[in-house]
Amino acid sequence: MTSTKKVLIEVTNLTKSFIDGPVATHVLKGVDMTVYEGEFVAIMGRSGAGKSTFLYQVSLLDNPTGGSIKINGHNVDNFSNEEKTRFRLTELGYVFQDYSLLPELTACENIMIPLLMQGLSRKTARDRAIKALASVNLDHRENNLPSELSGGEQQRVSIARAITHKPRILFADEPTANLDSFSSNLVMDIFKKLNKEDGLTIVMVTHEEEFGKMADRIVKLADGMVV
Ligand SMILES: Nc1ncnc2c1ncn2[C@@H]1O[C@H](COP(=O)(O)OP(=O)(O)O)[C@@H](O)[C@H]1O
Ligand SMILES: [Mg+2]
């Protein structure tokens, strides 16, 4: 069997500046990066290096100032906002450092939201959400509110939410930053399993060397550039 690596993400000369009145903050200063299908890439660098800003641009949560992003052959820069939303809902998953669960909804309902937004029926969305909870060993937590869960459990719900629609790429921004080492290891085990067993492409920001080393490759960002 020949193994031709397929380029999944191609970022070229990406720039992002924030303009606040007369003050311009140039955060990304021409980032180039290629991610291949099935890769697990860790993005590392000091606080303020631009890691979160980078992830926001590549996962279509924000609009870059310049450069281009190609995902699975699509020039996503040219997408309308509607196309971006649809693309995110179907092709991408995102895990935030602070979990970003809706506090008034149960674990199961939080996971159902993006599926309902995709147009799935409540029944199908619920079935899929329960399966996703089981895949992160939280089947017994289906009806709990986020406030009734530990930080580690909330992050696992957030991972379940990010993978129920079977995205092509999973983005995670410092997913273990607020967790103790036991919970962090559970989260990393889930990521490794998703990558190795399901072939999911993962782009994870971390400042923890220990977890960065678990990826196939580390990309270092410093002062808005790859070093
Ligand atoms: N919305 C914004 N407006 C102005 N500056 C911002 C904004 N978002 C981020 N920055 C600045 O960009 C730099 C990089 O931020 P960030 O991408 O969050 O870094 P990291 O995730 O590597 O810690 C920081 O100096 C931050 O203050
Ligand atoms: Mg950050």
Side-chain angles (χ1 to χ4, degrees):
M1 201 174 96
T2 52
S3 59
T4 346
K5 286 201 289 184
K6 180 184 164 191
V7 173
L8 195 51
I9 308 174
E10 194 166 15
V11 176
T12 314
N13 198 22
L14 189 73
T15 59
K16 178 68 182 179
S17 304
F18 295 101
I19 314 293
D20 183 15
V23 185
T25 313
H26 305 293
V27 177
L28 300 178
K29 300 171 181 171
V31 176
D32 295 316
M33 195 181 297
T34 303
V35 176
Y36 295 92
E37 190 165 55
E39 254 196 319
F40 184 172
V41 177
I43 297 176
M44 302 196 66
R46 301 170 73 136
S47 175
K51 304 182 298 296
S52 294
T53 305
F54 175 76
L55 218 58
Y56 262 68
Q57 313 310 310
V58 184
S59 60
L60 315 189
L61 289 168
D62 197 1
N63 298 311
T65 306
S68 82
I69 300 169
K70 244 185 171 179
I71 301 179
N72 196 28
H74 299 280
N75 273 93
V76 295
D77 323 284
N78 302 332
F79 279 5
S80 67
N81 284 337
E82 219 169 55
E83 286 171 319
K84 283 186 181 178
T85 303
R86 178 123 298 265
F87 194 77
R88 273 208 320 273
L89 277 172
T90 55
E91 305 279 311
L92 311 179
Y94 201 102
V95 173
F96 298 87
Q97 176 176 338
D98 65 359
Y99 331 129
S100 296
L101 299 173
L102 295 169
E104 68 278 18
L105 299 184
T106 64
C108 186
E109 289 164 345
N110 263 285
I111 300 169
M112 288 169 66
I113 293 283
L115 299 175
L116 295 173
M117 285 172 72
Q118 264 196 60
L120 268 63
S121 72
R122 279 198 77 81
K123 163 95 177 70
T124 309
R126 176 167 289 278
D127 289 348
R128 295 259 295 261
I130 289 169
K131 276 204 189 106
L133 274 172
S135 77
V136 295
N137 295 321
L138 283 178
D139 15 6
H140 57 301
R141 293 301 208 177
E142 188 187 322
N143 295 316
N144 286 100
L145 295 172
S147 59
E148 298 166 337
L149 303 174
S150 73
E153 288 173 332
Q154 289 183 63
Q155 192 56 300
R156 277 146 67 204
V157 172
S158 131
I159 294 169
R161 177 181 57 184
I163 59 167
T164 26
H165 58 293
K166 305 213 177 302
R168 204 176 282 279
I169 308 163
L170 179 66
F171 295 99
D173 192 357
E174 311 247 16
T176 59
N178 296 342
L179 304 180
D180 59 43
S181 73
F182 178 77
S183 300
S184 295
N185 282 309
L186 284 182
V187 164
M188 289 307 300
D189 286 346
I190 293 169
F191 282 180
K192 277 192 295 184
K193 185 164 175 277
L194 287 168
N195 176 250
K196 297 288 170 263
E197 291 177 18
D198 305 338
L200 182 61
T201 305
I202 301 178
V203 181
M204 174 186 78
V205 167
T206 182
H207 63 259
E208 290 156 296
E209 200 75 47
E210 178 194 356
F211 299 130
K213 280 188 193 144
M214 292 181 182
D216 300 325
R217 183 158 65 95
I218 293 175
V219 175
K220 282 221 159 100
L221 272 189
D223 196 22
M225 284 184 292
V226 173
V227 291

